[in-house]
Amino acid sequence: MQQEDRIGGDESDVESLTSASLRDAHRFRAQYSGMVRQRAYIFDGDGKYYNKEWDLKEGTGKEFCWYHVELPKGNQKLSHSAQHLIDALCPPLKLQDILSLVSNGPFCGHVDGALVFRVNSPGPASSSFTFKIAARITENSVITVSLGRVPRLGFSPMGQSLLSEVPSVDSPSYYRGEHKERSGIVIEEHVLEFLLTMNHSEEADNPVPTSVSNLVVHIIDTHVDQLQDVVTKLEIELDAVELEMDRGGFAMKKQMLDDRRFPKLHLNLQRLLQVIAHGEQVFPRVKEKCSTKHWFLAEDINSLEELIGRLRRLKENVGFIANRVNAIQAGLDSWQAEQINRKLYYLSFLSIIFLPLSIITGVFGMNVGGVPWTGQSNPELADGFRNVMYICLIMLVVVLSCFGFPALYSRIASWWRMRAMNRSWSLNRRSFQKRPNIVQERRGYLRL
């Protein structure tokens, strides 16, 4: 009886723990619901696509499906991202599949019969220089996970592209005194600045993939484009900072040093280089493993090779930007050192001036016998204070003349050299004007 009571008590404890875990899971899902964006497409293999429900089923025949999960950018732990993926992808995916998609660092390999690769940087999720892209690829389905929105990753109908519209300015144009209105879509200045930082088209201009290999190339291409956009923004920002430094003065340079702007930018560049290095490790292995698949087209293998080359050139460009940042930071450091040296020069100048004076006053302030002009009761020594002031003034003039003589000598020497150059130029000019006939007879170059 005691054993049965113990067994019954254990079963009740298990049931209570299970119900508590279910309540915690329900509370967690209610807390983070609506934060993850999910998109599902089905492609017919002939250049058409349709939105579909989120059922994680694979396509049949020529059809293939794509399921994309967009994790939120914010101050969240890696375990929260894993919980988001568990809610979105389980079932049919297992915990091993989830961990292979959400873990940090580079990876490429087969997990449970599917090809899985990821390029996930370990930085904070809220940073603009933290990138995460992972994919699980089979013959008839692709599941991808990204951190935040990836530009041009999705698809939209062809009539909605801003780049296909006829642009128009906000203000009307005047031509020969006539008022003319331009037809077309009005584009604001901030929209133009955003478009100038883009190195790619919009989602409406994306070619619809006709195979899984086309879709894989499209996913990697958008990842490289996203990195290229960040590099372009950094170049524009760095050009603006250099222009501000050329125009700015003491206050702006001091503000940049106080804000530690360039050390932070250098740290972000190192994070970006880490992401690019992960891509250089993963994407060649993806190409190698995809080349063994019968459903992966040969032309898409060549496209992957081109993307790997773009990534290497992008790494070189980021290296150039890092060198520019180091050069600007070195210039600011030298400017700060120059300001400190100038202040120290003024302090040393004052100390050199007052050091002889302090010696004189210290000597005459000794409380011993034999110091001249210290007898206050003697009327013949009543001018002692005036004599000490005269000595201090003479010493001050001597010190200032020692400092001012080199500058005065350099000014006089430069004036004398300039006067000699002007005198020699005037003599050469007079001698040149006395020979007009020689120039007219030769009618060519004058031999000097």
Side-chain angles (χ1 to χ4, degrees):
M1 292 295 293
Q2 293 179 357
Q3 186 176 2
E4 291 178 357
D5 293 338
R6 190 181 300 111
I7 293 173
D10 294 339
E11 291 178 354
S12 62
D13 293 340
V14 171
E15 290 178 358
S16 61
L17 290 174
T18 305
S19 61
S21 62
L22 290 176
R23 285 196 304 269
D24 293 339
H26 178 72
R27 189 182 303 111
F28 185 87
R29 292 180 184 181
Q31 181 181 0
Y32 293 99
S33 61
M35 298 177 61
V36 179
R37 294 183 180 181
Q38 301 174 357
R39 287 184 289 182
Y41 303 98
I42 183 170
F43 302 89
D44 60 357
D46 295 326
K48 295 181 181 180
Y49 74 97
Y50 308 95
N51 295 324
K52 69 183 300 291
E53 61 181 3
W54 189 268
D55 54 4
L56 298 177
K57 292 182 179 179
E58 296 189 358
T60 58
K62 296 175 57 178
E63 295 181 349
F64 58 96
C65 302
W66 179 31
Y67 304 94
H68 178 67
V69 180
E70 182 180 317
L71 297 175
K73 292 181 70 70
N75 296 322
Q76 60 180 357
K77 298 180 180 179
L78 189 62
S79 58
H80 294 169
S81 300
Q83 182 64 42
H84 293 326
L85 289 185
I86 290 174
D87 294 338
L89 302 177
C90 290
L93 266 65
K94 302 177 183 179
L95 182 59
Q96 182 182 5
D97 300 327
I98 300 298
L99 295 179
S100 64
L101 291 173
V102 77
S103 299
N104 289 329
F107 174 78
C108 179
H110 289 88
V111 178
D112 199 12
L115 177 61
V116 177
F117 73 86
R118 68 170 183 265
V119 183
N120 296 342
S121 55
S126 58
S127 175
S128 300
F129 295 87
T130 301
F131 301 90
K132 294 181 183 292
I133 186 72
R136 183 181 185 273
I137 308 167
T138 59
E139 186 175 356
N140 294 103
S141 69
V142 176
I143 299 175
T144 56
V145 179
S146 68
L147 179 63
R149 180 182 178 272
V150 180
R152 202 177 62 89
L153 183 61
F155 297 91
S156 60
M158 283 300 295
Q160 301 178 1
S161 175
L162 179 65
L163 302 179
S164 62
E165 299 289 339
V166 178
S168 176
V169 294
D170 198 3
S171 59
S173 61
Y174 295 90
Y175 181 70
R176 293 181 181 179
E178 298 180 358
H179 179 72
K180 290 185 179 181
E181 295 287 344
R182 291 187 180 182
S183 60
I185 184 172
V186 178
I187 301 179
E188 300 293 340
E189 183 178 358
H190 66 278
V191 179
L192 285 176
E193 291 179 356
F194 171 74
L195 294 175
L196 288 174
T197 60
M198 295 172 54
N199 296 275
H200 49 75
S201 58
E202 288 185 321
E203 291 184 353
D205 300 320
N206 290 335
V208 180
T210 58
S211 62
V212 174
S213 59
N214 293 152
L215 182 57
V216 172
V217 171
H218 169 73
I219 293 169
I220 299 177
D221 188 16
T222 53
H223 174 70
V224 177
D225 285 340
Q226 187 182 15
L227 297 178
Q228 182 67 51
D229 289 345
V230 174
V231 173
T232 304
K233 291 179 182 178
L234 283 176
E235 289 178 342
I236 296 176
E237 180 183 357
L238 198 58
D239 293 339
V241 168
E242 290 178 349
L243 185 60
E244 290 178 0
M245 288 184 60
D246 293 338
R247 295 179 178 178
F250 178 85
M252 180 175 295
K253 294 180 180 179
K254 189 176 183 302
Q255 184 67 29
M256 289 182 179
L257 288 171
D258 294 339
D259 295 341
R260 295 182 55 85
R261 185 171 183 178
F262 292 103
K264 294 178 181 178
L265 183 58
H266 192 271
L267 179 61
N268 292 329
L269 285 173
Q270 296 304 315
R271 292 176 179 172
L272 188 59
L273 282 174
Q274 186 181 25
V275 176
I276 297 175
H278 289 173
E280 284 186 331
Q281 297 176 18
V282 171
F283 295 147
R285 296 176 61 185
V286 172
K287 185 195 75 169
E288 179 182 356
K289 292 183 180 298
C290 288
S291 61
T292 61
K293 308 292 184 181
H294 67 277
W295 42 266
F296 209 93
L297 302 180
E299 58 183 11
D300 293 328
I301 296 293
N302 297 330
S303 300
L304 286 178
E305 185 65 31
E306 294 177 359
L307 292 175
I308 294 171
R310 279 186 57 193
L311 203 62
R312 291 169 181 168
R313 292 190 295 271
L314 189 62
K315 183 179 181 180
E316 295 177 357
N317 196 6
V318 174
F320 295 151
I321 296 177
N323 292 334
R324 289 177 60 186
V325 172
N326 292 332
I328 296 175
Q329 182 63 38
L332 285 177
D333 293 340
S334 63
W335 175 82
Q336 187 180 21
E338 181 181 354
Q339 298 298 319
I340 295 174
N341 292 333
R342 184 175 299 177
K343 293 178 181 179
L344 292 177
Y345 173 77
Y346 293 151
L347 291 176
S348 62
F349 181 76
L350 292 176
S351 64
I352 290 175
I353 290 176
F354 286 100
L355 181 60
L357 302 182
S358 63
I359 293 175
I360 294 173
T361 55
V363 168
F364 284 95
M366 291 181 181
N367 194 11
V368 295
V371 180
W373 305 321
T374 57
Q376 301 294 331
S377 60
N378 190 357
E380 297 179 358
L381 302 178
D383 298 334
F385 177 76
R386 185 182 60 185
N387 296 334
V388 173
M389 290 296 102
Y390 284 159
I391 293 175
C392 292
L393 183 61
I394 292 172
M395 183 62 66
L396 183 62
V397 170
V398 171
V399 171
L400 291 178
S401 61
C402 291
F403 274 96
F405 180 75
L408 181 63
Y409 176 78
S410 62
R411 287 180 177 272
I412 294 175
S414 62
W415 174 79
W416 186 264
R417 286 194 298 269
M418 186 64 66
R419 183 170 177 271
M421 289 178 61
N422 293 333
R423 183 183 300 176
S424 62
W425 171 254
S426 61
L427 293 176
N428 293 333
R429 187 176 181 183
R430 290 175 185 175
S431 62
F432 181 78
Q433 290 176 354
K434 290 180 180 179
R435 296 182 296 176
N437 297 329
I438 299 176
V439 177
Q440 292 180 0
E441 290 177 359
R442 294 183 179 179
R443 295 180 181 179
Y445 293 103
L446 179 62
R447 183 176 298 175
L448 298 177

